Amino acid sequence: MEIESQIATTREQSKRLLDLGIKPETADMVYHYTNSRVERLKWELQPHPPTLRGKYWTPQRISKLASPWHKNPDGTPMTGEQIFDHLWSKDIPAWSLSRLLALFPIQKYKEDTTLCLYRCEDGGIWTLGYLYEVESKNLSPIEDCVSLIEWLVENGRFNKEYLKEEQHEK
């Protein structure tokens, strides 16, 4: 018996979520670009959120990354911004199944609901309700969640707090 385990969104699924406007800081994992010459080793799934500019990585902290050991191809020292970009700009956020489920809207039970995953108000129990039918060809719960999130965003039913600002207007 062959068992395949997917512990997080693939890079392609992650890109779909990012294209929908999902905030990268909602991810709990990251595909880190390693720059390896071996194709299978170019991307490494790491169990921590992506490194992003913002609360922790302020412009002041980023500027402190500059050091004489990091050089541009022409030999000039790299700035903190260049080092930050060199280390983390190609990284792709990834979402575990539990994080995807946590992104679903909190929904009270209603008579008129049809297929959706709901997170109960207390945040502790997950329920499968009915609002949208996810066609699952490969029986991947992560793909099902990504497809359902696509539907929720497209139909204006996704949590606005998890969307980038420009997605709120759509």
Side-chain angles (χ1 to χ4, degrees):
M1 171 169 58
E2 185 177 324
I3 298 175
E4 288 188 31
S5 296
Q6 181 181 354
I7 63 171
T9 53
T10 63
R11 292 191 321 272
E12 293 76 21
Q13 289 167 332
S14 293
K15 287 177 184 176
R16 285 168 48 202
L17 292 173
L18 292 171
D19 289 345
L20 288 169
I22 307 298
K23 291 179 180 176
E25 56 267 25
T26 62
D28 56 345
M29 303 177 101
V30 66
Y31 283 101
H32 179 66
Y33 184 73
T34 64
N35 203 25
S36 174
R37 290 182 181 167
V38 180
E39 189 63 36
R40 292 186 64 132
L41 301 177
K42 280 190 179 180
W43 295 95
E44 175 181 77
L45 182 61
Q46 296 180 346
H48 60 78
T51 303
L52 303 168
R53 289 173 171 82
K55 292 179 187 174
Y56 181 79
W57 284 105
T58 62
Q60 296 79 17
R61 284 185 187 224
I62 291 172
S63 68
K64 291 179 182 178
L65 289 173
S67 74
W69 295 283
H70 294 280
K71 305 248 186 222
N72 287 307
D74 65 1
T76 59
M78 293 175 97
T79 65
E81 282 287 329
Q82 289 172 315
I83 293 171
F84 186 91
D85 287 342
H86 177 73
L87 293 173
W88 297 299
S89 69
K90 293 183 181 177
D91 288 359
I92 299 172
W95 289 262
S96 66
L97 179 59
S98 61
R99 184 55 60 100
L100 288 170
L101 292 173
L103 296 177
F104 280 97
I106 294 173
Q107 192 81 9
K108 293 182 181 177
Y109 293 103
K110 296 179 181 176
E111 297 294 323
D112 62 342
T113 46
T114 56
L115 186 74
C116 185
L117 284 171
Y118 293 125
R119 185 169 54 143
C120 295
E121 284 182 305
D122 67 353
I125 300 173
W126 295 97
T127 299
L128 181 61
Y130 295 96
L131 172 61
Y132 168 73
E133 189 168 332
V134 177
E135 289 186 26
S136 182
K137 294 180 181 167
N138 59 2
L139 301 175
S140 165
I142 290 178
E143 176 58 34
D144 292 347
C145 285
V146 171
S147 296
L148 190 51
I149 288 171
E150 285 175 328
W151 186 89
L152 289 167
V153 169
E154 290 166 3
N155 289 278
R157 296 183 180 192
F158 194 70
N159 287 330
K160 302 272 189 261
E161 66 184 293
Y162 301 134
L163 293 173
K164 293 178 185 174
E165 292 300 318
E166 59 268 15
Q167 296 302 120
H168 288 237
E169 289 87 43
K170 291 183 178 180

